[in-house]
Amino acid sequence: MTATIEPELGRPRRRKEDARLITGRTRWTDNIALPGLLHMAVLRSPLAHAKISRLDAEAARSMPGVIAVLTGTDLAEQQGSLPCAWPITPDMASPQHPALAVDEVRFAGEPVALVVARSAAEARDAVEAIDVDYEDLPVVLDMEAALADGSPLVHQDLGTNRCATWVFDSGEAGTGEDVDRVIAEARERGDVVLERRFRQQRLIPAFMEPRSVVVDPTGEQITMWSATQVPHILRLMLAMTLGVPEQKIRVIAPDVGGGFGGKLQVTPEEVLTFLAARRIGRPVKWTESRSESMVSAHHGRDQIQRLTLAARRDGTLLGLKVDLLADMGAYLGLVTPGIPILGAFMFNAIYKLPAYRFSCTNVFTNKTWTDAYRGAGRPEATYAIERMMDELAAELGKDPLEVREQNWIKHEEFPYTTVAGLTYDSGNYEAATEEAKRLFDYQALRREQAERRERGDAVQLGIGVSTYTEMCGLAPSRVLGSLSYGAGGWEHAAIRMLATGKVEVITGSSPHGQGHETAWSQIIADKLGVPFEDVEVIHGDTQSAHKGMDTYGSRSLSVGGVAAAMAADRVIEKASKIAAHLLECSEDDLEFTAGRFAVRGTDRGTAIQEVALAAFAAHDLPEGVEPSLDAEVTFDPENFSFPHGTHLCAAEVDTETGRVRIRSYVCVDDVGKVVNPLIVEGQVHGGLAQGIAQALYEEAVFDEMGTLTTATLADYLVPSAADLPTFTTARTETPATTNPLGVKGVGEAGTIASTPAVVNAVVDAVRHLGVNDVDMPCTPMRVWHAIHRGAGAAPTEMATGAEAGGGLGSIDGGDQ
Amino acid sequence: MIPSAFDYVAPSTVEEAVRALAEAGEDAKVLAGGQSLLPVLRMRLAAPSTVVDLGRIAELRGVHEDGDRLVIGAMTTHYDVQRDPLVRQHALLLALATDTVADPQVRHRGTFGGSLAHADPAGDLLAPALALDAEMVVAGPNGRRTVPAEDFFVDYFTTALAPDELLVQVRVPKFSGWGAHYEKFNRVAQAWSIVAVAAAVRVDGGSIAEARVGLTNMASTPVRARGVEEALIGRPATAETIRAAAQHAAEGTQPVTDANADADYRRHLVEVLTSRAVTAAAAG
Ligand SMILES: Cc1cc2nc3c(=O)[nH]c(=O)nc-3n(C[C@H](O)[C@H](O)[C@H](O)COP(=O)(O)OP(=O)(O)OC[C@H]3O[C@@H](n4cnc5c(N)ncnc54)[C@H](O)[C@@H]3O)c2cc1C
């Protein structure tokens, strides 16, 4: 049985998991029904900051179907504090983070009480019957105000709203010069020194499947199903937070419908469902509504960035200084404080920068807490530097691509150690840019832009550039250690060779829409020379996939996929001993290709499936060889992976209305070797959609009371295919040199690269009208005001963000 | 979220529906396509004791002619309005505005009557109904009455319908041979209008013989831009006339400030959009 098998790597297979995911006929957490299942609903604070002066649950307790009503006081002893695994500095101010507020609420949406009832409807009805008296406390929403003397405090006991300040200085680290000196000298010489302030608006991950948890306490282990990205981390954290022995908890992430970092969390509701189920002794389910998700699932981004860039008049970069304020919201989640720090190594991007300083102050405010969102720290960094490069080009009257090329790392200069201390293993910025320019027809668009300016057309054309890199594949454990992160960055994989020659691949990576089942099957089919259909990928259950670090930070393929490939190598090693024994030859005489061990120079051989059966039967194995081909690997990467690429955006701005229309979008990404081009394409498209969404559409807006006014998808504008252009995507392929597959991450690249490309295009279209910045999202109103207020940027906080727009959001009437 | 519990009735005639409403009292709600009502119930912004579903009343669906009028049943879905040849022929403006409503899923369930009765000032079908002088046929305990569009829209989410009344049909004069255009301004495809302009014009020998212009989301009710209409009628259909006429678009409007647009911006937008809508209507 030696049918020739077409190579799987590089094959654009349709994803085997899609039929069940798309039709919903699968094990979404909310689809799980257990005998005797009860339902939990959560009462949330309507106020952003208040004392709970009285909470009366009597009426709720006597409502039909109600089994239990629990308050923060009831759980104060058991609930512990929700974990934050990333204390970025030794002196970080770290507040208690109760799952249920005990006597004070600090953001609107914070859980205050829970009801468990026989049906979800009864639980919801009873929640309405809980009577709470709140005593208002002063609300602080703005980061700069929060840091001012005399500001109201989010956490009285901390005595400050400053969570931590984290600094990287190339002068101190020895990776570059002292940036303050470099900037001072540049000023003296009359070189270019640009200062800008950018705002990274707050975003909501808005995954499609709302969060859901089921906990079954009726067994030796307590089993939790959760719509999570991180079943393994969740089990560990539940054990550590609640003091339950780790082996008594089993966590299952069944099929999960998107996360984008939003499900990289240990949520209050997971803890509450766990505690409620354990207390009652029956299985309990909690599934959130969309509006609950919008107010209470962690948000992302939310930074104020102050940047100073120094360059020679010829365009050569001299130094960059970055001062950030990052909004934590009211509490710290799993990796909240570390998110902006992930950007620290990326502001220098692809450029050779002699001096660099990054300083970030994390701030508490009375808003939903923030944490990872697709790109996590790196989109913010890339936005800032790529906007600055366009500003520099404008200042010098140069083409933005020319200024970039002048400063980027040339392909023959890799590996290259940057001013932030990272070593980029490989890249070819020239090749990606060349291809992007060709696909975009850069020169023709520049000509059209000039003509339109000349004519004074109502619709102006702008061209935006973003030449990005990012660090992903989180992460080498020693680097995480040096950043005070609470865990390592390895990944585990195992392979089980079944008696029938079929293969089970167990991965510690935890897919939630990425297509691991298809990609891992392709990798292993190729490695072992078995048909794609014969490979089953097992994931997301701490009992079967017992060891893992889960999925985030574009790490799955470049860490977890590599671990699986390495496990396959071990299977082959083990099989080779048995094959040699069966074929009565020396192992050295064997050649393994396309699933077959052949004795060199003969036509004798045996298929790996036959070896698997021989191992199973174990009737005739060589001395000292165990009857198993199964193998496992825990792989710790030696470096990050550094995808890069060039994105070009042509945007039309209607100067009469301020509306932006993306006319064409070209991206040439270099994500190294590709396992499945169709999956890569999908990741790029989705990434672009989310990056463009930040540039043009999405923003979490709070009113002055701290109420989220964009709490429905009618107000929080997630664009759909109808709002987006046709993307022209292409790839160059510079293999990563730091992993045996040569792969890099692709999960976040599109999001990271696209936001600045779009905003650069918008600004470029109207720069001649006196505009040098528009706050994100570049709504028609902001763009129009920027144009018509003439010179300078549009004011940061536009007229008002307080009320929602028409339609659903204005259901209870607008006001004048 | 899950709505509060309510009683559900699904009558099969208008008379039964009116009786059901009367019996249930003030707290009853009519259910048409549910595209606006269900979100309100699910977010518990309303908790009716009884929901009266009009879905089984055959009389309320469909479009027919009645002399110089077009009669559109209140329960005719957006999808059916869009595809109806009579609507395209005699009330093109309505068809074009309906094309811009929401997305295909919503258009398959949402109804023409439901949109008008809901009276969201950001809704897209109010301004066309007003501009075309539609009449609402309303059924109540004392029989049927007819309310002109001008009197029907009272305030935000408020119409001339009494709690025990139903909108049964909409009678629209025929505008055969008129050019029409609905210029909608929103931020994402499925969203309501930030501002929109509904224009229908009859061009005769190169000049504008008649004009109707209605504005969406420029006040608590749809607004008829009479100043624009007057400035157009009898003038040549040129870019200059139209631009000049559009300068009157914001007159008498009371736009709100919200997250998408402040009042000044809305007043500006309505002029730009009026000019574009009338230009397109005059060309088509
Ligand atoms: C995602 C989404 C996007 C949307 N986008 C748009 C848009 O772009 N433009 C737009 O115009 N609309 C939009 N809508 C609203 C949509 O057009 C609704 O269909 C419409 O507003 C209500 O129609 P319905 O038939 O669904 O009414 P329902 O939701 O059933 O009822 C709405 C209200 O009207 C009352 N009512 C309904 N019918 C009658 C009747 N015959 N007599 C008396 N009272 C009645 C109900 O009691 C209720 O108060 C959108 C809706 C959604 C969900």
Side-chain angles (χ1 to χ4, degrees):
Chain A
M1 47 169 296
T2 52
T4 43
I5 300 166
E6 217 186 294
E8 284 292 339
L9 289 190
R11 196 165 160 182
R13 271 195 182 273
R14 297 221 177 159
R15 308 196 312 178
K16 57 166 144 176
E17 50 270 73
D18 279 348
R20 71 171 205 275
L21 295 183
I22 291 170
T23 58
R25 290 183 182 280
T26 191
R27 279 153 284 170
W28 303 119
T29 302
D30 191 51
N31 285 354
I32 290 165
L34 299 173
L37 184 66
L38 301 173
H39 298 266
M40 183 176 100
V42 176
L43 175 70
R44 296 178 186 280
S45 167
L47 302 175
H49 199 188
K51 278 245 171 292
I52 301 172
S53 47
R54 193 184 63 95
L55 194 157
D56 182 356
E58 275 324 297
R61 287 204 172 91
S62 56
M63 300 269 291
V66 171
I67 305 288
V69 180
L70 298 174
T71 67
T73 316
D74 298 328
L75 296 182
E77 298 293 299
Q78 305 142 54
Q79 67 180 350
S81 180
L82 290 163
C84 171
W86 202 339
I88 56 166
T89 60
D91 63 346
M92 180 175 90
S94 198
Q96 284 293 305
H97 189 174
L100 266 191
V102 179
D103 47 19
E104 189 172 329
V105 290
R106 297 184 176 85
F107 74 96
E110 184 168 353
V112 169
L114 65 85
V115 174
V116 177
R118 283 182 212 284
S119 72
E122 287 167 326
R124 178 48 57 196
D125 285 342
V127 156
E128 308 269 307
I130 300 174
D131 193 15
V132 188
D133 287 344
Y134 294 100
E135 205 178 294
D136 276 312
L137 291 171
V139 168
V140 56
L141 302 169
D142 176 79
M143 284 189 276
E144 282 161 339
L147 291 177
D149 283 345
S151 164
L153 296 176
V154 177
H155 298 276
Q156 202 65 42
D157 54 331
L158 297 180
T160 175
N161 290 322
R162 181 188 301 265
C163 165
T165 298
W166 192 95
V167 176
F168 174 86
D169 187 305
S170 67
E172 285 164 23
T175 53
E177 296 167 45
D178 171 355
V179 82
D180 283 324
R181 205 197 60 219
V182 166
I183 290 170
E185 286 169 5
R187 282 193 209 280
E188 266 166 39
R189 280 196 305 270
D191 286 342
V192 184
V193 178
L194 291 176
E195 295 181 41
R196 288 286 186 280
R197 181 181 194 273
F198 296 133
R199 201 176 64 112
Q200 292 290 326
Q201 81 270 33
R202 184 176 267 252
L203 299 177
I204 301 179
F207 32 76
M208 201 179 286
E209 178 209 17
R211 296 172 306 164
S212 181
V213 189
V214 175
V215 175
D216 182 0
T218 62
E220 187 49 38
Q221 296 177 314
I222 298 187
T223 302
M224 172 183 287
W225 289 260
S226 182
T228 180
Q229 294 174 223
V230 290
H232 299 91
I233 294 176
L234 179 55
R235 171 164 99 150
L236 174 66
M237 290 297 160
L238 286 172
M240 289 173 50
T241 307
L242 301 176
V244 179
E246 193 179 352
Q247 81 280 9
K248 295 294 183 192
I249 305 174
R250 173 184 180 188
V251 174
I252 302 173
D255 282 321
V256 177
F260 311 116
K263 291 175 182 167
L264 165 50
Q265 196 53 271
V266 176
T267 69
E269 295 82 2
E270 283 162 341
V271 168
L272 295 176
T273 313
F274 188 99
L275 292 177
R278 195 176 60 174
R279 190 181 255 243
I280 297 164
R282 285 173 61 179
V284 174
K285 176 192 282 184
W286 169 80
T287 299
E288 70 184 351
S289 70
R290 177 60 63 183
S291 24
E292 228 179 339
S293 188
M294 301 294 278
V295 297
S296 69
H298 73 243
H299 294 174
R301 313 275 192 268
D302 207 344
Q303 293 182 355
I304 294 171
Q305 309 179 307
R306 275 170 300 149
L307 303 130
T308 310
L309 181 74
R312 286 215 198 88
R313 285 273 152 205
D314 70 356
T316 310
L317 296 181
L318 295 172
L320 175 68
K321 190 174 167 180
V322 177
D323 274 302
L324 299 187
L325 296 181
D327 199 335
M328 307 287 97
Y331 295 100
L332 301 178
L334 191 60
V335 289
T336 303
I339 296 301
I341 309 311
L342 281 173
F345 308 94
M346 283 289 114
F347 279 87
N348 53 297
I350 64 170
Y351 307 112
K352 292 183 278 191
L353 201 66
Y356 172 56
R357 181 184 166 89
F358 169 96
S359 163
C360 176
T361 295
N362 289 346
V363 186
F364 292 112
T365 61
N366 291 111
K367 288 183 290 201
T368 308
W369 31 298
T370 59
D371 207 319
Y373 174 51
R374 201 171 190 171
R378 292 154 291 155
E380 296 91 321
T382 303
Y383 180 83
I385 184 65
E386 289 304 296
R387 282 284 299 112
M388 289 305 271
M389 292 305 282
D390 261 38
E391 292 303 298
L392 177 63
E395 173 73 21
L396 297 173
K398 287 192 169 201
D399 184 286
L401 277 171
E402 188 191 330
V403 179
R404 285 172 170 81
E405 180 157 14
Q406 195 178 341
N407 287 289
W408 74 40
I409 303 157
K410 305 281 181 295
H411 71 273
E412 65 273 11
E413 293 173 319
F414 289 93
Y416 182 90
T417 299
T418 73
V419 73
L422 291 181
T423 300
Y424 295 174
D425 62 322
S426 68
N428 190 335
Y429 309 141
E430 297 92 326
T433 302
E434 210 41 57
E435 180 64 0
K437 279 172 79 170
R438 190 183 67 76
L439 291 168
F440 192 66
D441 207 349
Y442 189 79
Q443 297 309 340
L445 282 166
R446 281 282 179 219
R447 274 197 300 280
E448 180 183 336
Q449 175 182 41
E451 285 159 17
R452 287 193 185 201
R453 281 191 184 180
E454 186 89 2
R455 283 198 304 268
D457 281 5
V459 177
Q460 289 289 317
L461 181 65
I463 295 169
V465 175
S466 169
T467 51
Y468 78 101
T469 190
E470 61 129 338
M471 51 187 262
C472 62
L474 297 180
S477 298
R478 71 184 159 79
V479 178
L480 292 178
S482 74
L483 293 174
S484 315
Y485 182 72
W490 46 261
E491 193 49 270
H492 174 263
I495 292 180
R496 298 201 286 237
M497 291 299 293
L498 305 180
T500 52
K502 310 294 184 198
V503 183
E504 288 175 339
V505 183
I506 295 119
T507 178
S509 182
S510 200
H512 41 281
Q514 292 87 349
H516 291 33
E517 289 172 32
T518 302
W520 273 227
S521 297
Q522 289 183 267
I523 294 170
I524 298 308
D526 249 13
K527 276 277 180 192
L528 298 181
V530 301
F532 172 83
E533 294 72 19
D534 286 1
V535 184
E536 200 70 22
V537 178
I538 293 168
H539 56 78
D541 180 341
T542 58
Q543 196 159 79
S544 51
H546 69 282
K547 193 177 167 77
M549 272 295 175
D550 307 317
T551 285
Y552 43 84
S554 303
R555 70 190 305 274
S556 292
L557 179 61
S558 64
V559 190
V562 167
M566 293 167 83
D569 287 335
R570 287 203 188 156
V571 169
I572 296 164
E573 263 169 51
K574 288 177 88 175
S576 158
K577 291 202 170 36
I578 299 174
H581 178 74
L582 297 174
L583 295 165
E584 298 176 331
C585 67
S586 140
E587 250 192 284
D588 296 340
D589 295 336
L590 283 181
E591 207 171 44
F592 183 69
T593 38
R596 192 176 154 79
F597 293 94
V599 185
R600 259 194 216 92
T602 75
D603 58 359
R604 287 189 314 126
T606 182
I608 191 157
Q609 290 91 342
E610 291 164 337
V611 180
L613 183 61
F616 169 77
H619 298 160
D620 180 19
L621 297 181
E623 203 59 40
V625 166
E626 63 167 344
S628 167
L629 298 185
D630 299 355
E632 62 177 322
V633 164
T634 303
F635 170 63
D636 197 350
E638 61 178 76
N639 196 352
F640 296 95
S641 83
F642 300 99
H644 72 81
T646 297
H647 288 217
L648 298 173
C649 173
E652 293 183 341
V653 175
D654 182 339
T655 58
E656 291 180 342
T657 62
R659 177 193 287 289
V660 175
R661 188 182 79 89
I662 297 180
R663 188 163 106 183
S664 62
Y665 196 100
V666 168
C667 60
V668 178
D669 296 300
D670 194 321
V671 297
K673 285 279 181 202
V674 163
V675 174
N676 181 325
L678 202 57
I679 292 181
V680 166
E681 182 85 0
Q683 288 291 326
V684 170
H685 278 235
L688 293 177
Q690 277 176 314
I692 293 171
Q694 175 169 17
L696 297 180
Y697 299 110
E698 297 181 13
E699 179 172 21
V701 180
F702 291 81
D703 67 13
E704 68 284 0
M705 307 286 290
T707 306
L708 182 70
T709 59
T710 52
T712 75
L713 291 177
D715 306 301
Y716 185 84
L717 300 185
V718 178
S720 66
D723 304 301
L724 297 165
T726 300
F727 302 128
T728 305
T729 63
R731 286 186 288 106
T732 55
E733 198 169 295
T734 315
T737 62
T738 52
N739 68 67
L741 293 178
V743 298
K744 311 175 189 173
V746 68
E748 296 157 296
T751 310
I752 291 169
S754 56
T755 310
V758 175
V759 177
N760 278 338
V762 172
V763 174
D764 187 51
V766 292
R767 195 183 285 280
H768 64 293
L769 303 175
V771 178
N772 68 15
D773 194 27
V774 180
D775 266 342
M776 293 190 290
C778 301
T779 65
M781 176 169 66
R782 283 204 177 105
V783 175
W784 183 78
H785 277 300
I787 295 168
H788 292 275
R789 300 232 166 96
T796 289
E797 302 303 336
M798 229 33 260
T800 167
E803 301 144 60
L808 270 188
S810 56
I811 236 146
D812 39 8
D815 37 35
Q816 305 279 331
Chain B
M1 233 161 80
I2 304 165
S4 307
F6 51 79
D7 290 332
Y8 172 84
V9 272
S12 48
T13 66
V14 170
E15 290 63 37
E16 280 173 37
V18 168
R19 224 175 302 129
L21 276 179
E23 278 165 21
E26 289 265 318
D27 257 2
K29 265 280 174 202
V30 170
L31 173 69
Q35 298 304 293
S36 296
L37 183 61
L38 289 192
V40 170
L41 299 187
R42 291 171 67 95
M43 293 195 278
R44 298 202 173 200
L45 297 170
S49 55
T50 308
V51 167
V52 180
D53 184 352
L54 304 185
R56 296 196 192 153
I57 309 179
E59 185 204 327
L60 296 182
R61 272 180 208 277
V63 180
H64 65 267
E65 288 174 285
D66 181 9
D68 60 355
R69 307 265 136 156
L70 213 54
V71 181
I72 306 175
M75 288 294 289
T76 311
T77 61
H78 300 318
Y79 178 79
D80 286 340
V81 168
Q82 278 181 286
R83 301 175 67 97
D84 192 281
L86 289 173
V87 177
R88 289 265 155 196
Q89 190 184 346
H90 301 298
L92 178 61
L93 179 58
L94 209 51
L96 296 177
T98 306
D99 289 343
T100 74
V101 170
D103 52 39
Q105 289 94 321
V106 172
R107 291 198 293 269
H108 271 88
R109 298 213 66 104
T111 65
F112 183 45
S115 291
L116 299 179
H118 189 53
D120 181 342
D124 288 301
L125 306 178
L126 286 61
L130 180 70
L132 299 182
D133 279 333
E135 293 169 332
M136 317 296 166
V137 178
V138 171
N142 307 320
R144 301 197 175 192
R145 64 185 179 114
T146 301
V147 185
E150 220 167 339
D151 301 332
F152 186 75
F153 301 110
V154 175
D155 203 345
Y156 291 104
F157 304 96
T158 309
T159 66
L161 285 168
D164 58 357
E165 283 183 321
L166 282 184
L167 175 60
V168 287
Q169 50 183 228
V170 183
R171 296 168 64 85
V172 187
K174 289 181 178 172
F175 286 80
S176 329
W178 287 49
H181 186 77
Y182 189 68
E183 183 75 19
K184 173 166 173 168
F185 196 81
N186 61 0
R187 288 182 54 206
V188 292
Q190 80 281 9
W192 287 258
S193 287
I194 294 171
V195 175
V197 177
V201 294
R202 190 167 65 77
V203 180
D204 192 359
S207 58
I208 295 173
E210 292 179 273
R212 299 297 181 87
V213 180
L215 312 178
T216 299
N217 215 9
M218 286 299 290
S220 60
T221 61
V223 174
R224 179 89 174 258
R226 294 204 187 265
V228 178
E229 293 177 4
E230 278 157 26
L232 287 171
I233 293 168
R235 304 252 160 69
T238 63
E240 293 77 63
T241 329
I242 294 173
R243 213 175 301 119
Q247 303 304 306
H248 298 281
E251 286 169 8
T253 62
Q254 289 179 303
V256 292
T257 287
D258 63 25
N260 287 317
D262 59 36
D264 279 348
Y265 177 58
R266 278 202 162 88
R267 275 188 281 265
H268 164 77
L269 268 186
V270 81
E271 292 178 6
V272 175
L273 303 180
T274 297
S275 177
R276 290 178 185 182
V278 174
T279 304

